């Protein structure tokens, strides 16, 4: 009954309308070709290993299966972290630092490997890019949870803003792609240097123990210094993207439109602050964790939606109906602060998590089905036609 109610409400609100594509949008998906570059210093070191690694992958392995494997890796790190450190404040055992560092690093390798496998098997598609970017958007929250626990920040208003150090660089890089038609990552970017910095945090904790992040240098905890460095890296990436977009759209005179698209992300940030403001016990009822998950599910939708808009030509929304969920949570918090009348915040937040999770599963299933049918491809396997092309013997008469 709950699922049926969510479906009915979703249809009435138009929540699933973007899963139904027009013929023109489907045609644009079929004709899509990726354009972009990655000037990352780190990627230059990765490339020889990636070239070798992709040759070790079976020719019939779907690129989307590799993407899904990476998603499983980063989520395994987050699940293990929450099982051992439920409040994200407990001392993290050294084995968990190593586990998280390895699984997150493996996620990064697989995130780079899926595109190479797609080109190698000639199965690149708009859906592959959408799935890859969508997974990255949702994986951002899992990575942030591991970072908060590694530094033993606990669940505070400040630590709840930590995921936005990942959200902002991701959003603005995709935002640049939407406006300029290509994704050009800078010499220092979140996908490479950002994730590798997180891996280093994990391995340092594994070798030296989590106590290293509690030590002070010049009056500042090492963990706090790591947060400051993360903020600087995120700011550099965002400014790099903003400069590129400003330069590109200035020629067309459409300065206001790109700015309006940032509003949903800022709304998500603002509601998160309001929901935790003045609460000294965010660990009660796992309230803080619930808010992190609400933000993560909504950011995943924003990241996916922005990529879908770029690929299909659907205008990017400046208003998401699902943003009403954190707005309601924020209003409930303000009602408690100023009128001392409100629903219990913990249970209400987890009800919101459940509602958004059901919606996300249904919407993403509809979207995947719609696009794969339009492109006549499978989700995580190759079609029989694709397999036949790859296994077809090459005639010796053909000059390669």
């Amino acid at each position: 009954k709950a699922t049926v109610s969510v479906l009915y409400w979703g249809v009435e609100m138009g929540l699933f309308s973007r899963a139904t594509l027009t013929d023109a949008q489907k045609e644009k998906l079929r004709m899509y070709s990726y354009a972009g570059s990655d000037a990352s210093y780190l990627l230059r070191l990765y490339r020889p290993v990636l070239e070798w690694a992709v040759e070790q992958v079976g020719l019939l392995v779907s690129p989307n299966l590799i993407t899904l494997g990476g998603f499983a890796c980063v989520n395994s790190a987050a699940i293990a972290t929450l099982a051992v450190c439920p409040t994200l404040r407990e001392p993290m055992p050294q084995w968990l630092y190593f586990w998280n560092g390895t699984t997150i690093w493996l996620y990064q390798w697989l995130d780079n490997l899926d595109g190479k496998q797609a080109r190698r098997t000639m199965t690149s598609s708009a859906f592959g890019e959408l799935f890859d970017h969508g997974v990255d958007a949702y994986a951002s929250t899992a990575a942030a949870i591991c970072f908060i626990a590694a530094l033993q920040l606990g669940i505070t208003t400040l630590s709840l803003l930590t995921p936005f150090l990942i959200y902002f660089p991701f959003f603005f890089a995709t935002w640049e792609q939407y406006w300029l038609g290509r994704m050009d990552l800078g010499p220092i970017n979140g996908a490479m240097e950002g994730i590798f910095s997180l891996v280093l945090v994990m391995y340092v904790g594994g070798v030296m123990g989590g106590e290293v992040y509690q030590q002070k240098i010049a009056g500042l905890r090492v963990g706090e210094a790591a947060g400051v460095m993360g903020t600087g890296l995120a700011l550099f990436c965002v400014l790099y993207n903003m400069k590129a977009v400003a330069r590109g759209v200035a020629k067309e005179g459409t300065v206001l439109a790109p700015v309006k698209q940032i509003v949903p992300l800022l709304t998500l940030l603002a509601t998160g602050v309001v929901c935790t403001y003045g609460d000294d016990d965010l660990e009660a009822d796992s309230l803080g964790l619930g808010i992190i998950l609400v933000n993560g599910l909504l950011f995943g939708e924003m990241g996916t939606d922005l990529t879908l808009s770029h690929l299909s030509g659907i205008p990017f929304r400046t208003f998401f109906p699902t943003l009403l969920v954190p707005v309601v949570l924020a209003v409930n918090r303000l009602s408690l602060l100023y009128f001392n009348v409100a629903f219990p915040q913990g249970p209400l937040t987890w009800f919101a998590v459940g509602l958004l999770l059901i919606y996300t599963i249904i919407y993403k299933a509809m979207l995947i089905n719609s696009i794969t049918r339009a492109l006549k491809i499978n989700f995580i396997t190759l079609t029989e036609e694709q397999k036949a092309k790859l296994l077809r013997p090459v005639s010796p008469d053909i000059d390669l």
Side-chain angles (χ1 to χ4, degrees):
K1 289 183 179 180
T3 303
V4 173
S5 299
V6 170
L7 275 170
Y8 178 77
W9 176 74
V11 171
E12 290 295 313
M13 290 288 292
L15 293 178
F16 306 113
S17 60
R18 295 171 78 82
T20 305
L21 304 176
T22 65
D23 291 338
Q25 291 161 353
K26 292 177 182 177
E27 184 60 24
K28 186 169 182 179
L29 288 174
R30 296 188 192 102
M31 300 300 295
Y32 177 78
S33 178
Y34 176 78
S37 63
D38 191 338
S40 165
Y41 296 125
L42 186 60
L43 185 59
R44 298 175 192 177
L45 300 176
Y46 275 37
R47 277 199 179 103
V49 183
L50 286 169
E51 295 295 343
W52 171 84
V54 75
E55 294 297 329
Q56 313 311 308
V57 179
L59 201 59
L60 299 184
V61 174
S62 165
N64 292 336
L65 186 59
I66 296 175
T67 305
L68 195 60
F71 190 49
C73 285
V74 70
N75 277 293
S76 73
I79 291 170
T81 298
L82 290 172
V84 178
C85 310
T87 68
L88 308 184
R89 190 184 299 278
E90 297 86 351
M92 184 183 288
Q94 287 176 271
W95 69 263
L96 186 55
Y97 277 108
F98 282 118
W99 171 261
N100 288 357
T102 302
T103 50
I104 293 172
W105 201 10
L106 186 56
Y107 156 71
Q108 185 183 48
W109 281 101
L110 294 176
D111 189 41
N112 282 281
L113 198 64
D114 54 9
K116 288 190 174 294
Q117 177 71 350
R119 290 185 288 275
R120 176 186 175 220
T121 57
M122 298 175 289
T123 54
S124 298
S125 68
F127 175 72
E129 182 173 338
L130 178 65
F131 185 58
D132 179 75
H133 287 197
V135 160
D136 290 341
Y138 285 101
S140 299
T141 302
I145 287 172
C146 295
F147 181 73
I148 294 170
L151 303 184
Q152 298 177 36
L153 298 177
I155 299 177
T156 64
T157 300
L158 185 61
S159 66
L160 289 180
L161 299 179
T162 301
F164 287 88
L165 297 180
I166 305 177
Y167 295 167
F168 271 79
F170 180 94
F171 182 90
F172 278 89
T174 312
W175 176 71
E176 177 187 337
Q177 183 185 32
Y178 175 86
W179 281 101
L180 303 185
R182 52 183 292 120
M183 179 173 281
D184 292 310
L185 298 175
I188 299 177
N189 61 70
M192 294 302 302
E193 284 73 16
I195 294 177
F196 188 70
S197 297
L198 178 57
V199 172
L200 285 179
V201 166
M202 296 301 168
Y203 281 138
V204 168
V207 173
M208 304 182 68
E211 300 82 13
V212 67
Y213 295 119
Q214 308 308 312
Q215 297 177 9
K216 288 189 176 183
I217 300 177
L220 191 67
R221 285 198 309 119
V222 174
E224 293 171 343
V228 171
M229 292 174 64
T231 303
L233 177 60
L235 185 60
F236 174 86
C237 295
V238 168
L239 291 176
Y240 184 91
N241 299 132
M242 292 181 70
K243 180 181 178 182
V245 171
R247 187 180 301 167
V249 301
K251 301 175 183 177
E252 304 175 13
T254 55
V255 178
L256 183 59
V259 174
K260 287 168 59 179
Q261 290 181 335
I262 305 172
V263 171
L265 183 60
L266 296 179
T267 302
L268 188 63
L269 174 63
T271 55
V273 172
V274 171
C275 286
T276 59
Y277 179 74
D279 197 330
D280 297 326
D281 193 16
L282 292 174
E283 295 171 4
D285 297 323
S286 299
L287 170 62
L289 179 60
I291 293 171
I292 289 176
L293 295 179
V294 166
N295 289 345
L297 288 168
L298 287 171
F299 178 74
E301 182 182 5
M302 287 181 196
T304 305
D305 195 77
L306 187 51
T307 302
L308 178 63
S309 298
H310 162 66
L311 296 172
S312 66
I314 302 176
F316 180 67
R317 292 178 288 183
T318 54
F319 170 74
F320 287 75
T322 46
L323 268 178
L324 291 174
V325 172
V327 168
V328 168
L329 294 177
V331 170
N332 187 67
R333 177 63 186 163
L334 291 174
S335 178
L336 178 63
L337 287 174
Y338 292 102
F339 304 106
N340 203 30
V341 177
F343 292 103
Q345 198 171 5
L348 183 64
T349 300
W350 281 99
F351 174 75
V353 171
L355 197 65
L356 286 172
L357 187 59
I358 293 172
Y359 159 74
T360 299
I361 293 171
I362 295 172
Y363 172 56
K364 293 303 184 291
M366 293 173 64
L367 185 61
I368 289 171
N369 181 63
S370 175
I371 296 178
T372 52
R373 285 171 64 90
L375 299 180
K376 298 180 180 179
I377 59 175
N378 294 337
F379 175 23
I380 55 174
T381 61
L382 301 183
T383 65
E384 293 303 318
E385 182 181 355
Q386 289 172 329
K387 292 178 182 178
K389 286 182 179 179
L390 291 171
L391 297 177
R392 185 178 301 154
V394 179
S395 172
D397 297 330
I398 298 177
D399 185 5
L400 296 177

